[in-house]
Amino acid sequence: MKRPILRFFYKAPAVAAVLATVSMAGCQSVPYQLKVEQTPSTLLYSYAIANGMARGQLMNGGMTLPQIVQILTADRSALSAILVFRDHPGAETFRLAGQKVEDFLFVIDHPISNTMSVVVAPGGQPVPFIPR
């Protein structure tokens, strides 16, 4: 009896049957879906984390006055939106608060550059800000 050159041909029907079964099982299964939905708790946690990130950047130093003002303004805006949502819960105020927290995170990650910065004193004239 001669041995075949390729033994694969004897095993091919079994391999094809296993592959067909696995592919049919893969088509029938439901893909795993992770739903990440924003809740009031995640909104508060996100704000607390962003606030800590902003404090870290301020303590690190090296920020100019316009950058500090921009971060503080974004922080105040996010906190105000969260307080409005707390007082008037609803889908629109919740969406707005979430957007303000996202804007706050963006400001922390991408502070403005130092070029052409202007400082305005209350009741005064705009003064060009030149970092030292």
Side-chain angles (χ1 to χ4, degrees):
M1 183 161 126
K2 277 185 152 182
R3 295 181 109 190
I5 296 174
L6 297 173
R7 294 183 187 189
F8 174 74
F9 293 115
Y10 287 118
K11 297 178 184 179
V15 170
V18 168
L19 287 176
T21 304
V22 168
S23 66
M24 290 299 283
C27 291
Q28 298 299 319
S29 67
V30 177
Y32 177 72
Q33 296 177 353
L34 176 63
K35 288 187 177 182
V36 179
E37 295 180 7
Q38 196 173 26
T39 65
S41 296
T42 59
L43 181 67
L44 289 174
Y45 295 147
S46 299
Y47 172 75
I49 290 170
N51 190 283
M53 291 169 58
R55 286 179 185 215
Q57 278 207 355
L58 291 173
M59 288 190 295
N60 190 23
M63 296 189 74
T64 62
L65 181 62
Q67 290 173 335
I68 293 170
V69 169
Q70 185 188 25
I71 285 179
L72 292 176
T73 304
D75 182 23
R76 177 64 56 110
S77 176
L79 183 59
S80 297
I82 289 171
L83 293 176
V84 167
F85 170 68
R86 182 197 65 182
D87 295 339
H88 307 285
E92 185 61 28
T93 55
F94 183 65
R95 185 195 63 76
L96 181 64
Q99 184 62 46
K100 292 294 183 178
V101 171
E102 288 178 19
D103 294 344
F104 183 34
L105 285 167
F106 182 80
V107 167
I108 294 168
D109 287 340
H110 303 95
I112 58 173
S113 63
N114 295 335
T115 60
M116 301 303 292
S117 296
V118 175
V119 176
V120 179
Q125 294 293 327
V127 179
F129 179 74
I130 301 169
R132 295 177 194 198

